[in-house]
Amino acid sequence: MLIEYVCNKLSRVRWRPVSDALIQPGFETSFICGTVDGGECNKLMLWSLETSSVDESVDICLRHELPFRGDVTQIIAFDNLAFVTSNVGTGNLYRFSEPSGKLIEMQKWDNLDAYGCTDAVYAPSLNSVIICGKEGAIRIVDINSLNNEPKKSKILSQTSLECIEFLSQNEVIVGNESGHLKVLDLRTNDVSMSLGYSLCIVSCVKKNPSNNHIIASGNDVGVVSLWDLRNNASHLLHISAHSSLISELHYKENENNTIITSSYDGQLLKWILSPSSQFKKVDSIMGKDGDSPINSFHININNDLIFSTDNEALYFGQL
Amino acid sequence: MSRALVSESSFVFKEIQDSKRSEPFSKKDLIKVSHKYRSVIHAAIGKVDARNGDEQKLVFNQIEIIWHLCEILFIDIHQTGILLPQLLAWIRWHHPSVNRKTEAILNSSTPHTHSNYWDVVTTFVLRGEVENALNLLKLHPNSKQNEFVIVLELLRKMPVFGGGQALCEYNMRWQAWSNECQFRFESGIDDAHLQRIVGLLAGDVPTFKYVLHLTDTWYHLMVSLLLYTDPTFKEVDISVFAQQCVDIYLSSDPDKELTSFDKILIAAFNYDLMQVIMESSFALKDNWWFVTHFVDLLYNGNLLEFYELVEASKLRESLILDYANSLMSHSSLWLIAVDYFDACPILGKQHLELTLERIPIEDERKALKIIQVAERRNLRELVKSVKKIVSIKWLARNRLGSALVWAIRSEDLALTTHIADLFLKHYTKYRKFPDEDVLYNLGPLMLICDRLIFLGKYNEFSMLRKQCLLQEAGEILVSLISSKISPKFFLPTLLTDSIVLLEAEKQILNSDQTFQILAALEDYTCFNNSENFKDEVDLESFKEKEDILRLAISRNMARSLITL
């Protein structure tokens, strides 16, 4: 594990995605980070991994940084763009500029959510970014027509929406502060399904990459839940995975039954499930209970792992 | 204060605290940790912000020098008591400028004519880097001449201590070599540069004074002087040497004064640990970084007792507390400070509680982190108060859903009751709750207070009614009416709700239940008449419903008598 002391609390780390058209040497190895808790001095940083030609050792290098207003709550990188949301309700769209290796601001929205944006997701079929926030509504930013005012849904919840995932062409699922997962039909703007079982904060939600109807969610008391949205929605599994809030949850690329979770309890865990979505085994990737909170992690298709902790360290390793 | 230094060193600090040992750190472990700290400072120098970095760089450099010296004097003590090799390494490490100069000389076509040539050779001699001095001298075109050969020979023969050599044997060899140097020096060499080098080798103090500009500090002068006058000096003598060199240094230039940095080093050479701590905490502008970490390190190796510091654990704790409190003044270093508070067994928890209370909570995620820290340390009141603050924040924004969620989490009776009342008032006005998700997921959490039980049960009733499960709904409604936990302002709503059930096509409420409703209605009207109920409008509208209700009650009563 390579460790870099970044002198900032990183709330989100995201690999820059690779698209077929853009494959070039060294391209894969950059990632973007956003900071939290920096008062007036929050920022976005673009880092890259550089391999030494002498001994093949890898080094993490800062390539570009720029100031950002508010705590960064989510970064989504797609194509050649990055959309960044903040807890003061702003959203910024950036473009990765080549070959200078910089982030260039393209557009800025000042008031996407009155109380602060919490999460965002990219919907490829709509070429839109869908943002949820503490107001309890979602906003849809159309990347094709940036100058149009983002579309706003009605208020879906009287508690904050904490996380969002794109399900299919017309559906998104959101998790809220009172323990509910709601499936929203974007055409009718109606909640078509609402799932919940306890008064907790649903902190993250992800769909299974190959079975769109299987949903994994994490909450603030450290429980990972699996849901099947077919047949009137049933919950498949609850595992008390962590002792504190699950900050991020991702399915491993190309492995439908592997979930990786990070938590404020300081652990990064890998969950292996059976094909019938039953718990099989768990491995600890990093950390032990009581370590500094892990705020964010991300894995790219090469199984390169980056994650950031609250004591201002950034880790890089192979999964 | 550099953030890199703070955050990186906190890792080392935590590592020390986490390694729960029954035994104190061994010398080997201490040295290892000490090296880690030094590399953290060294890395921090590299990361100093270029804009206002000069002063900070200087402070960090000084800390690095002090730490290294203290490591040599207080931790990494050689068995033989011979300090010189370590002190030479110390000087070399912290005066790296000569390397740059050497490079420039080697890059020139005629090195010996380079303006720095003799300075660099002399510096190498002063630092005991004989090999380097030899190599440079060999580049001189005259190096085959007699005078050069003599000097080269002297340098080559210089005895070096080490490799299992007996001390007395080394002393004898060194004495013989030194005598030869003195002889050569006294017989004189024509070349002034060479004569000066031999003077240094012979330990001739005036020669050292002559090249004082090459030993830019008094401690450099001291180490060089010791190297050629008394290489096997003992610890006990070093404070006297230090003082002598300070005097030489000061007398060379009337403008020179001892800085607080010099005073710290002098205190260290005097083996006065307390003085080092005092001077450093007073003089270094590092928010007590150095003293905190160094004292903690010594403490963990039981060395504070060894150096006879009184109340060692209290000293350590007060330094750590000061340092941690200084971190708290920064908006985002509070989580790092927590590790430091944790390391204080006596007052750490109290300080932590006081400081956590003062952290502004702008965001729920931050609140959750504070809560997590507090929960792990059993600070229950703090956990509750943070949750309460978040709830009140949402209440101020009139977002009742979030406010109730956080109030329930805070387990605050008054606040939860208040918000539950607001939910019920909202219902009386709009016939729906501001947020049903919260109520749906209440579960056993509703047991926190009576009003919440009422709210949860009423929500259950209204859901059953929606699903047309009137029998079950009726039972809940009657139990709500008869249990008398309903707030007065909500009674009209409850009673009105009963009309539908009383008037239902199929009989739902039996005579007993109907009586309960009637009793509640009587109580309510009685209460209104006696207490001058203020809400006139509500009263008016209920007056109309009261008649309907009474009618419904009597009809249902009649119906139930028939079925009896």
Side-chain angles (χ1 to χ4, degrees), chain B residues 418-430:
Chain B
H418 175 63
I419 298 171
D421 275 352
L422 292 178
F423 261 68
L424 293 170
K425 281 179 182 156
H426 189 280
Y427 188 90
T428 57
K429 235 177 177 169
Y430 305 105

Side-chain angles (χ1 to χ4, degrees), chain B residues 415-459:
Chain B
L415 186 63
T416 314
T417 307
H418 175 63
I419 298 171
D421 275 352
L422 292 178
F423 261 68
L424 293 170
K425 281 179 182 156
H426 189 280
Y427 188 90
T428 57
K429 235 177 177 169
Y430 305 105
R431 304 301 290 174
K432 66 169 191 175
F433 286 118
D435 184 40
E436 281 171 10
D437 291 350
V438 184
L439 304 178
Y440 181 81
N441 272 349
L442 269 182
L445 285 172
M446 71 167 78
L447 298 174
I448 291 171
C449 72
D450 284 354
R451 197 56 47 81
L452 204 58
I453 297 177
F454 179 79
L455 180 61
K457 280 284 166 197
Y458 186 78
N459 184 51

Side-chain angles (χ1 to χ4, degrees), chain A residues 37 134 158 177-178 220 312, chain B residues 3 332 399 406 409 434:
Chain A
D37 217 359
K134 296 185 193 172
Q158 276 288 326
E177 209 179 9
S178 52
D220 67 319
E312 315 197 337
Chain B
R3 197 156 167 182
S332 64
R399 255 281 290 276
W406 286 92
R409 294 164 149 244

Side-chain angles (χ1 to χ4, degrees), chain A residues 1-300:
Chain A
M1 223 23 119
L2 197 64
I3 173 167
E4 174 79 19
Y5 302 96
V6 289
C7 300
N8 283 290
K9 280 188 195 170
L10 301 182
S11 58
R12 281 290 176 260
V13 292
R14 287 290 176 265
W15 287 106
R16 196 180 152 183
V18 207
S19 72
D20 297 339
L22 282 166
I23 287 185
Q24 48 178 280
F27 183 85
E28 171 67 333
T29 53
S30 60
F31 55 93
I32 170 170
C33 304
T35 69
V36 66
D37 217 359
E40 294 298 307
C41 316
N42 280 309
K43 48 193 160 187
L44 281 180
M45 303 159 119
L46 187 65
W47 296 79
S48 66
L49 288 176
E50 274 159 33
T51 313
S52 153
S53 52
V54 186
D55 52 0
E56 301 218 324
S57 63
V58 180
D59 213 8
I60 304 177
C61 310
L62 180 64
R63 277 166 70 188
H64 182 217
E65 68 175 41
L66 67 176
F68 189 83
R69 195 165 81 84
D71 290 347
V72 173
T73 51
Q74 185 59 282
I75 299 172
I76 43 175
F78 52 97
D79 300 339
N80 202 25
L81 303 170
F83 194 93
V84 186
T85 58
S86 81
N87 74 339
V88 292
T90 57
N92 295 29
L93 183 68
Y94 297 90
R95 182 166 54 82
F96 293 100
S97 127
E98 291 295 340
S100 65
K102 284 190 173 170
L103 284 168
I104 300 192
E105 187 177 289
M106 289 172 67
Q107 183 100 359
K108 192 171 152 183
W109 293 266
D110 271 338
N111 203 2
L112 285 178
D113 194 286
Y115 303 132
C117 305
T118 48
D119 197 4
V121 68
Y122 176 62
S125 56
L126 307 171
N127 197 21
S128 298
V129 175
I130 308 175
I131 300 123
C132 69
K134 296 185 193 172
E135 228 178 286
I138 62 165
R139 298 277 198 303
I140 305 172
V141 170
D142 190 345
I143 300 297
N144 291 329
S145 49
L146 289 175
N147 293 324
N148 289 358
E149 189 66 15
K151 262 187 282 174
K152 184 189 173 185
S153 75
K154 64 177 184 191
I155 300 286
L156 305 173
S157 160
Q158 276 288 326
T159 53
S160 306
L161 296 181
E162 295 285 334
C163 51
I164 186 164
E165 169 75 325
F166 183 68
L167 288 181
S168 67
Q169 196 106 22
N170 304 304
E171 282 181 328
V172 288
I173 186 164
V174 287
N176 75 7
E177 209 179 9
S178 52
H180 282 261
L181 283 166
K182 289 165 186 278
V183 178
L184 177 77
D185 193 316
L186 295 173
R187 288 167 301 187
T188 59
N189 225 341
D190 278 333
V191 174
S192 57
M193 202 184 284
S194 186
L195 325 162
Y197 73 103
S198 77
L199 200 62
C200 57
I201 301 171
V202 183
S203 54
C204 43
V205 57
K206 282 279 173 295
K207 68 176 173 203
N208 189 304
S210 59
N211 297 321
N212 275 358
H213 53 88
I214 305 274
I215 297 295
S217 71
N219 71 14
D220 67 319
V221 286
V223 173
V224 172
S225 307
L226 282 185
W227 309 83
D228 189 338
L229 296 183
R230 294 172 306 180
N231 307 331
N232 209 12
S234 50
H235 68 246
L236 300 170
L237 180 68
H238 293 305
I239 349 172
S240 195
H242 291 272
S243 65
S244 190
L245 181 131
I246 297 179
S247 51
E248 283 215 65
L249 177 154
H250 291 292
Y251 273 94
K252 197 170 167 217
E253 202 86 34
N254 303 327
E255 284 182 40
N256 299 332
N257 293 312
T258 307
I259 294 176
I260 296 157
T261 55
S262 68
S263 162
Y264 283 3
D265 70 4
Q267 298 185 88
L268 189 64
L269 301 177
K270 182 162 102 174
W271 302 86
I272 316 238
L273 306 170
S274 70
S276 56
S277 295
Q278 290 307 302
F279 170 66
K280 213 157 124 192
K281 104 179 201 216
V282 57
D283 290 329
S284 170
I285 301 172
M286 187 74 190
K288 58 178 194 304
D289 196 12
D291 280 356
S292 192
I294 299 179
N295 288 332
S296 178
F297 75 96
H298 201 210
I299 302 159
N300 66 8

Side-chain angles (χ1 to χ4, degrees), chain B residues 123-183:
Chain B
T123 309
F124 278 133
V125 172
L126 285 167
R127 288 153 58 116
E129 291 174 287
V130 179
E131 275 300 314
N132 291 343
L134 275 172
N135 290 336
L136 271 184
L137 283 174
K138 281 179 196 160
L139 293 177
H140 202 283
N142 296 346
S143 61
K144 297 281 185 295
Q145 283 181 7
N146 200 21
E147 286 181 336
F148 266 85
V149 173
I150 291 171
V151 176
L152 288 173
E153 187 63 19
L154 282 178
L155 281 170
R156 206 173 290 128
K157 281 199 308 199
M158 183 176 155
V160 181
F161 181 67
Q165 205 171 18
L167 190 59
C168 55
E169 186 195 337
Y170 169 74
N171 263 335
M172 261 162 54
R173 286 179 51 210
W174 187 82
Q175 204 55 53
W177 176 79
S178 182
N179 287 344
E180 191 183 344
C181 293
Q182 273 164 27
F183 169 72

Side-chain angles (χ1 to χ4, degrees), chain B residues 196 221 257 262 321 364 394:
Chain B
R196 218 165 289 138
L221 172 70
E257 276 182 9
D262 293 318
L321 286 177
E364 284 80 23
W394 282 117

Side-chain angles (χ1 to χ4, degrees), chain B residues 204-233:
Chain B
D204 177 57
V205 177
T207 315
F208 276 91
K209 283 184 185 168
Y210 186 81
V211 294
L212 207 57
H213 61 288
L214 295 177
T215 55
D216 46 0
T217 56
W218 60 267
Y219 48 91
H220 190 334
L221 172 70
M222 180 186 86
V223 175
S224 303
L225 202 53
L226 283 171
L227 171 65
Y228 295 109
T229 52
D230 189 2
T232 56
F233 66 93

